[in-house]
Amino acid sequence: MSTSTPNRVDVWFEFASTYSYPAIMRVEAEAQARGVPLIWRPFLLGPVFAAQGLADSPFKTNEIKGAYMWRDIERICAADDLPFQRPSRFPRGSLLSARIAFAFSDARWIGAFVRRVYTANFADDADVDQPEVIVALLDELDLDSQDIVTAATTPDTKLGLLAQTEAAIASGIFGAPTFAVGPELFWGNDRLEAALAWATGPKP
């Protein structure tokens, strides 16, 4: 047995992902409590699904699976005391938010921004696909929304997010949220604790 404490956890997430909502709302606090550094890794599920031969979210193409997922999310959010309202459009686009999260992944405020976007989508049913909604969220956080949006919409940022999505596919990521500790992948809200344990504990 060997130890390596603490390893960082890369948090791969997509703003349209239902199970990412409860995971993202607690990951930063859980990691800080264990002294585990986080790296925010936004990516796009559309190309990931396309690489799997899927034209849409499996929760839309499979009605039985989709019905289960919505009820499961309701239970999870109730248990975590999180507000939840099923989005009136699913999956809802969130490209600008993803680009912001990519461009400012190491900013001190990025965790608060990411949580605010998820809350807007899954608790407030706000149309986070609209730039004015995201600008308002940035303003609520007392951030320079104009400079942030400008930086997030440069060609380099757009290409960078696509490259990060390709890196997700290459590393074996097939859904969100995924927590990566080096080459070890932990998929799903219910695997967060396992990822943090792997980052801080002994490994076989």
Side-chain angles (χ1 to χ4, degrees), residues 62-170:
N62 186 321
E63 292 185 6
I64 295 175
K65 182 181 287 188
Y68 170 84
M69 178 274 293
W70 288 119
R71 181 57 187 140
D72 195 33
I73 289 293
E74 289 176 347
R75 292 192 301 255
I76 292 169
C77 290
D80 290 353
D81 198 25
L82 284 176
F84 174 73
Q85 181 179 179
R86 180 172 172 173
S88 52
R89 182 160 59 91
F90 175 81
R92 182 176 271 142
S94 52
L95 190 55
L96 177 57
S97 297
R99 288 170 174 167
I100 291 172
F102 173 80
F104 294 93
S105 61
D106 58 352
R108 287 187 299 174
W109 48 264
I110 196 62
F113 169 74
V114 170
R115 289 189 294 273
R116 188 65 191 88
V117 175
Y118 274 103
T119 299
N121 193 22
F122 291 107
D124 304 332
D125 192 23
D127 192 355
V128 295
D129 197 23
Q130 298 302 313
E132 59 268 24
V133 172
I134 302 307
V135 167
L137 297 184
L138 292 167
D139 290 340
E140 288 176 11
L141 294 171
D142 199 26
L143 299 170
D144 190 334
S145 57
Q146 182 175 351
D147 283 354
I148 290 171
V149 170
T150 297
T153 52
T154 64
D156 284 349
T157 297
K158 294 176 180 180
L159 290 174
L161 179 61
L162 292 176
Q164 183 147 284
T165 299
E166 290 298 319
I169 295 170

